[in-house]
Structures are given as C-alpha cells and as structure tokens.
Amino acid sequence: AHFSPKHYLNFSKKELLSIDRDKIEKYDHYGISKEPEFNALNFYNFGEVAASEDDKYFAINLYLKNEENDSYFINVFNDSLELEYAKTIDSLENEETGEINKNPLLIHQSIKIDGNGNAYVLAKHFLNGKTDQKRKGLPNYTYELFKISKNSVDKISLKMRDLFVHRLDLAITSNKLFCVGYYSERIGGIGGYFNPPRLEGIARFNIDLTDFSIESEGFSPFPNQFKIDKYGKDVDKGVLRIRTRNIIVSKNEELVVLGEDCFISYREGMPVALNYKDIYVFKMDEFGKLFFAKCIKKDQFENIKKRIEHCSFSSIYAKDKLHIFLNAEKEIKVKKDGREI
C-alpha cells in the first residue's frame, strides 16, 4: 500500500499481505479490479477492497483457487494499516443436515465492512459443483452471506422463492445491510454469459445487523412504463442485462439503485468492443416494493484494443435528489417514437 497524509502528499510504502503462487495457479490472470471490462463483464471479482463509512477499517478480500479447493481470504486492517485479523472461508455447513462441504463452488458477489471492523461477504454458492444456473427447472445455487469478525464466522442463506436471481450487490448503514439484485421467473437452457435470461424484476433483502438476521425481503416486477421507456411500447419481455453501478440508501431506508446495460462484443471468438448502453434507475421503499423505475436511453462503445479509461456515467445523491452525469454528443438523437438517445 502507498499512503500519505491528506493535507500534503508525502507517500510511504508498506506491504500489507502476500499470496503464494500455488494458491492462484488456476487463474489465467489475477488481481483486484472493480471495472467490469477487466473481469470480462462476467462480474467475477478475483479480489475487492472495502472500507467502513468512517474509514476506521478496510478489508481486502481475495478469491483464491488451487487444485484442492476454492476459498475466500479476508484481511481486515485498521486506519494505521495494522492487521486486525485474517480469516479463510473454504468450507460450508449444510444448515439442514449439518454436513460439511469441504470444496464449495463459491462465486464472489460483494463485500462491505461496518464501523466495528466486521466484514460481510456475499457469495453465490453453486450446488452441484458446476456453474449451471438451472437444474431440474430450479435454480442451481443459493446465496450465502457471511459475517466475519475477529473471533467468529457466521452465515445465513438467502432463499430465492424458486426465482432465478442472477446477482446480488450489497449496501450498508450503521445497523442494516441490504442485498439487491434482479430476477427472472424462468431461463432457457442452463443460462450463462452467452445466453443471458430476460430480467423481469428486482429483489431486495433487509438484514438486521444487531442479530444478523433477515428482517424482510421483497420481489417486485418491472412496471409497464419501464418497458415503454426501454422498448418504445409495452411488451411482454424483460431486460437482457443490468449491471448495478451504485446503491444509495436514503434516511428512511428507501433504496435508489442505478444500473447499466453493459457487455462485450465478440467477433470470431475474440472480444472487440466494450458496450455501455441504457442507464436504469430504480427506487424501492423500506419494505422492498419497487415504486419507481426509469430507463434512460444511451449508446456508448469503446474499441477494446485502445484500453482508454472512460466514465460511462456518474451520479450524486444530495438533498433527496439524484443527479446523473453522462457522456453525450452535442446533438441528442430522437427516435421515431419520440424517445431521446
């Protein structure tokens, strides 16, 4: 880590941790990056850094793979860059049978850390050792939420009501944790990146951090007006891709969720372009009911060979108002149905 006082720039360097090469031998590439283009837009993070809201603690979470098993390696540091604790998650206990799975297939989703230094890690757990999204008509996965502290590791499972919730992201306050994602009622084949399902609604789980329990959950379909914004007419189909960019928690625990349609274009099996298209804005009440959904039409792409860093859009939430800033041409195009792009 390179660190410096805020009031003047005088950087020093300190090694925080190191990883043996044999623990990452399955990787084609390895590193910590949240930008989706560095994760093939598959959203599989090899590592992630999260800080508490007061900046007193930060966590480095690494997703390790070797010939024996996959595991999480979580390191929590204080603001003096001193290691508070390190934990490894490499097995799962079945809540119903008590059996221990010593080689669970876990796909990292998100990590948050609270003001007491507790880390919360969300993983997608595939049930039969394969990343098939569906098995016998039902989801082939559950979501496991871990609470990790210096002296313990606790876990709760999030139930999906037989819906296909393809990804969940986390937001945190002083006493609540929120898990937000998008669901489909059905998918074709076994799913996967090249066969994405139509997303039909948004899901939310409220977690009470005082006793680490599920306080409430909600599943809301996208309204008709949202589909009209997206397609120009009310159609009986969902949205192909939504990547959550930000989750904002208001004072009364309403959630403002910003998403984007982003993907990689391929030609003859090789990636050729990064695509950043429509922006989505959702608002959910404190009980998880969706009461606002808006699609902002946008079309932006970048040649993948250029590797030019750019910002698709950014947002600010202030005084109960959301402000979105995005790249645009001087002249806004208007489609035949009146929608701007």
Side-chain angles (χ1 to χ4, degrees):
H2 296 264
F3 59 96
S4 169
K6 290 183 178 180
H7 54 283
Y8 69 95
L9 297 181
N10 183 18
F11 284 92
S12 302
K13 182 173 69 173
K14 180 180 180 180
E15 180 178 297
L16 298 182
L17 58 92
S18 60
I19 304 296
D20 293 335
R21 187 67 193 177
D22 61 356
K23 291 185 179 298
I24 57 175
E25 58 189 10
K26 279 187 179 181
Y27 284 132
D28 295 327
H29 54 286
Y30 181 80
I32 297 175
S33 178
K34 296 186 71 175
E35 290 302 314
E37 54 265 33
F38 293 97
N39 289 304
L41 288 179
N42 243 340
F43 317 134
Y44 295 171
N45 292 321
F46 301 128
E48 192 172 359
V49 178
S52 60
E53 186 174 359
D54 58 6
D55 293 329
K56 295 296 184 181
Y57 299 95
F58 69 94
I60 299 176
N61 173 47
L62 298 175
Y63 182 48
L64 306 180
K65 300 169 76 72
N66 56 36
E67 291 298 332
E68 296 177 357
N69 64 0
D70 302 344
S71 62
Y72 278 102
F73 184 40
I74 298 98
N75 298 261
V76 175
F77 300 84
N78 58 31
D79 55 1
S80 298
L81 301 184
E82 298 169 336
L83 180 66
E84 291 285 328
Y85 63 88
K87 295 286 186 181
T88 299
I89 299 174
D90 56 7
S91 62
L92 281 180
E93 180 180 356
N94 187 304
E95 296 180 351
E96 297 178 358
T97 65
E99 297 180 353
I100 303 296
N101 183 350
K102 296 183 178 181
N103 188 19
L105 178 51
L106 301 172
I107 301 298
H108 176 61
Q109 303 287 290
S110 185
I111 180 173
K112 294 294 180 183
I113 187 167
D114 66 19
N116 297 316
N118 300 311
Y120 301 88
V121 176
L122 182 63
K124 190 174 186 178
H125 173 218
F126 286 92
L127 302 178
N128 66 342
K130 298 181 180 180
T131 56
D132 298 346
Q133 301 291 321
K134 181 174 68 174
R135 187 184 184 194
K136 296 181 180 180
L138 297 174
N140 185 44
Y141 53 83
T142 61
Y143 285 92
E144 308 295 341
L145 179 63
F146 299 91
K147 177 183 179 181
I148 302 162
S149 63
K150 184 177 295 186
N151 299 316
S152 64
V153 176
D154 298 312
K155 178 182 72 70
I156 55 178
S157 297
L158 306 180
K159 306 301 182 182
M160 299 296 122
R161 300 184 182 177
D162 295 337
L163 297 172
F164 296 91
V165 180
H166 302 283
R167 180 182 170 85
L168 288 174
D169 289 281
L170 296 178
I172 193 170
T173 63
S174 60
N175 61 349
K176 293 282 181 66
L177 189 70
F178 306 95
C179 309
V180 179
Y182 313 97
Y183 69 82
S184 303
E185 294 184 3
R186 57 194 179 278
I187 61 174
I190 60 174
Y193 179 72
F194 292 102
N195 184 29
R198 294 280 180 177
L199 304 175
E200 300 169 76
I202 190 167
R204 167 177 170 169
F205 295 84
N206 295 347
I207 310 298
D208 188 341
L209 296 185
T210 57
D211 59 0
F212 193 51
S213 63
I214 301 174
E215 179 182 78
S216 62
E217 61 183 55
F219 296 83
S220 295
F222 296 142
N224 293 338
Q225 184 58 50
F226 174 73
K227 298 177 182 179
I228 295 173
D229 291 343
K230 173 71 176 176
Y231 299 110
K233 58 183 179 180
D234 188 6
V235 294
D236 186 22
K237 64 179 180 179
V239 179
L240 272 180
R241 294 164 296 261
I242 304 178
R243 166 63 168 173
T244 298
R245 292 300 196 187
N246 195 14
I247 302 173
I248 301 163
V249 185
S250 70
K251 294 180 180 179
N252 59 356
E253 295 185 359
E254 291 181 351
L255 295 187
V256 179
V257 184
L258 290 106
E260 186 176 26
D261 180 2
C262 53
F263 61 94
I264 291 179
S265 297
Y266 286 81
R267 182 180 300 158
E268 296 179 355
M270 297 298 293
V272 293
L274 308 173
N275 297 267
Y276 298 88
K277 292 187 175 291
D278 298 346
I279 299 171
Y280 306 112
V281 183
F282 305 103
K283 293 188 72 174
M284 309 177 75
D285 66 20
E286 65 270 30
F287 305 107
K289 183 179 180 180
L290 180 67
F291 67 89
F292 177 87
K294 180 69 176 177
C295 172
I296 302 173
K297 299 297 293 182
K298 182 172 72 72
D299 194 0
Q300 178 183 350
F301 73 94
E302 185 67 55
N303 189 314
I304 203 168
K305 292 182 179 179
K306 292 183 179 180
R307 288 295 184 187
I308 298 175
E309 294 186 8
H310 63 275
C311 180
S312 171
F313 78 94
S314 59
S315 60
I316 296 174
Y317 190 77
K319 297 182 179 180
D320 294 326
K321 291 185 178 181
L322 176 67
H323 306 269
I324 297 177
F325 305 88
L326 60 142
N327 298 325
E329 296 182 358
K330 292 182 179 180
E331 295 183 4
I332 303 299
K333 297 178 182 179
V334 179
K335 298 175 73 68
K336 292 181 180 180
D337 56 21
R339 293 176 298 152
E340 295 181 344
I341 184 171

